[in-house]
Structures are given as structure tokens and as C-alpha cells.
Amino acid sequence: MRRSCASLLALLMLPLVAHGSELRLCTDEKSHLPYLTPQGGGLAGLLIQMAAKEAGVQVEFHAAPTTRCREEIRVGVADGFPTAPYTPALEPFMAFPMKNGKPDAERAVMTARAAVFRRKDSPANWDGTQFSHVAKPVLIPFGAVLLVDRLRAMEVPTDDKGKTLEANLVKLLAGRGDVAIGSEMSGLVLLATPQFQGKIEMLPMAFTEEPYYLGLNRQYYEANTEQMEALWSAVGRIRKTPAYLKQSEKAFVQAARELKE
């Protein structure tokens, strides 16, 4: 299984070559296949680089923990994040493609789901609206700002001390939480490993299904508005092209095949 996952990583790992640093993007230090790798590979990285080439923008990627990326963008050390959710916590210092005062999902880089996980012997549940039989704080990855905002709005206690979904699934097995929330794709990969197979299950109702955007430092956007709008528009257009859709389909088919092996 791990060798199979490695083959998917090899397929999506290499980004198109960028020769400048006009747009400095900070990526998560961990891979989120098939969407993004720390080097700027994966479907999201490929899409951004294709769009950047069309818009005449030079892109440079560097990796860091998500919380550090957010701080780098806030202070202007980095210019953006490739797959940022639109959430109030990011609005003060990040710009997103907008239309009629709302984020423009037509120009999103991707759409992804966060899933809810529980122990197989647990009555804990999520029905798409509320949790039941959940007595302990919900386990979420550290720095998952969208999940924090959503759970806070629901007045649901959270535990974000685990750095990754894998760490939180370990905590779940140890009884340190009743449910964990994290990336559906990452969760499917983890549930197929001996460590979690047959012990943890993913609930059928997603917790979120959200568009993710190329989020930009607000000052950087204001200084390069015309070019960044062109970049966002190129992202939206290329994402619908047959060539990119074919590449995306191949990546997801291969990811599904890896999970069965």
C-alpha cells in the first residue's frame, strides 16, 4: 500500500519549472495528494502553474507548517497559499477571487471535503447538521482554520493539538476523542493502512465540502491587482479544459486504485 501511494506521489510530485519569484507561495510541508505536494506538485500546483504561465506570472513554492505559512502571508514574507479556504479568520490579511461581494467559486483551484471519523465500536455520529454521542472535544489538525471557524460557530469544543489527521486517528484509537475531522482523501489513504484498517471508519456525511482558492496577501494583491485577477481567471478557465479534466480524472482513478491494493 505504501509503495502504491509512493507511485501516486511520483506522478504528481514534480511541478512545472518556475524561473522567477514574482509570486512566492507557501505550501504545507506535508503532501495532500492528489491535490498538492510541498514542492508545488499535484493537481492544484499544476493548475496554478499553468495559469501563471498564461497570465505572465512567475511562481516560486516553498514549504512550511500551515500555521507558519499563514503568518508568513500575514506579514508579507510569502505572497499567498495555493489552496486556502475562504473564512473570516483569513479576511483581514488575505484576498480571494470575488464576484458580487462573495468568493467566486468559478475561480477556485479545487473543491474538497472534510470527513468525520470514529472508532468502529463507537456510537458517535454526525448527521450532516449536528453531532450525537460526542462527549469529548472534536479532534482537528492544528492550524485547520476553516474547521475551527465552523466548529466554533456550532459551539462545539475542539482539540487541535494533533498536528495531522494521522496523529488524531491515533488519539481516537486511544480513546482521547470520540470523533476526528480531516481531509477525506488523506483519511481514505490512512484507513487502508494496517494501523487503522478495521479499527476506524469514515462517516457517510461530509463535515464540509468547500472550494479552495489561491489566497493572496492583501497588500500584494492590491499592488498587482490586474495581474492577479488575470491569474485567478486563468485558474478558473483552465480548470474546465479537457486537458486538465483528463489529468484530474487520471489522478483520482489512480488514487482509488491505490486504495484497493
Side-chain angles (χ1 to χ4, degrees):
M1 170 64 197
R2 292 191 182 277
R3 283 198 304 269
S4 297
C5 287
S7 67
L8 179 61
L9 175 62
L11 174 70
L12 293 172
M13 154 132 228
L14 295 176
L16 301 177
V17 177
H19 298 289
S21 57
E22 284 187 37
L23 180 61
R24 301 159 299 174
L25 298 181
C26 188
T27 69
D28 190 1
E29 62 183 351
K30 298 185 181 300
S31 287
H32 297 275
L33 290 172
Y35 302 114
L36 192 66
T37 72
Q39 300 83 10
L43 289 171
L46 173 66
L47 175 58
I48 288 170
Q49 292 183 78
M50 292 172 69
K53 184 176 181 180
E54 182 177 299
V57 178
Q58 294 177 327
V59 183
E60 179 184 272
F61 293 90
H62 70 275
T66 303
T67 50
R68 193 170 110 197
C69 281
R70 190 159 61 242
E71 181 61 16
E72 286 188 9
I73 295 165
R74 189 184 69 80
V75 301
V77 172
D79 301 321
F81 192 82
T83 54
Y86 179 84
T87 184
L90 300 178
E91 274 191 302
F93 60 92
M94 287 187 75
F96 296 84
M98 305 294 285
K99 184 177 181 180
N100 299 325
K102 297 180 179 179
D104 185 1
E106 292 295 310
R107 295 192 286 170
V109 171
M110 55 183 260
T111 299
R113 295 195 294 188
V116 181
F117 303 86
R118 69 180 179 187
R119 292 184 301 278
K120 279 224 167 178
D121 61 354
S122 171
N125 198 27
W126 164 254
D127 65 5
T129 303
Q130 61 185 1
F131 293 98
S132 57
H133 304 290
V134 174
K136 299 174 182 177
V138 173
L139 303 170
I140 59 174
F142 180 68
V145 62
L146 176 64
L147 299 181
V148 170
D149 283 355
R150 293 293 172 83
L151 291 163
R152 184 177 293 155
M154 296 168 61
E155 298 184 348
V156 172
T158 60
D159 175 353
D160 67 348
K161 296 181 179 63
K163 290 187 176 181
T164 64
L165 176 58
E166 182 174 8
N168 283 333
L169 294 186
V170 170
K171 292 172 71 172
L172 199 57
L173 283 179
R176 295 169 61 189
D178 296 315
V179 295
I181 302 177
S183 162
E184 179 184 60
M185 289 297 297
S186 298
L188 288 171
V189 171
L190 289 168
L191 295 191
T193 64
Q195 185 178 15
F196 302 113
Q197 193 171 34
K199 303 170 188 176
I200 300 288
E201 62 184 356
M202 185 174 73
L203 296 178
M205 298 296 295
F207 183 69
T208 62
E209 183 168 4
E210 294 288 328
Y212 288 76
Y213 303 89
L214 170 56
L216 300 171
N217 167 278
R218 190 167 292 281
Q219 290 182 331
Y220 179 87
Y221 167 74
E222 290 171 356
N224 302 275
T225 300
E226 185 175 346
Q227 199 169 34
M228 291 304 101
E229 288 287 343
L231 175 56
W232 280 330
S233 294
V235 164
R237 187 189 62 76
I238 293 170
R239 190 180 172 206
K240 299 179 182 71
T241 61
Y244 182 77
L245 289 172
K246 185 176 181 180
Q247 181 72 20
S248 180
E249 182 181 357
K250 282 183 179 179
F252 279 99
V253 167
Q254 183 163 347
R257 188 181 300 127
E258 307 293 350
L259 293 172
K260 294 178 182 178
E261 296 178 359

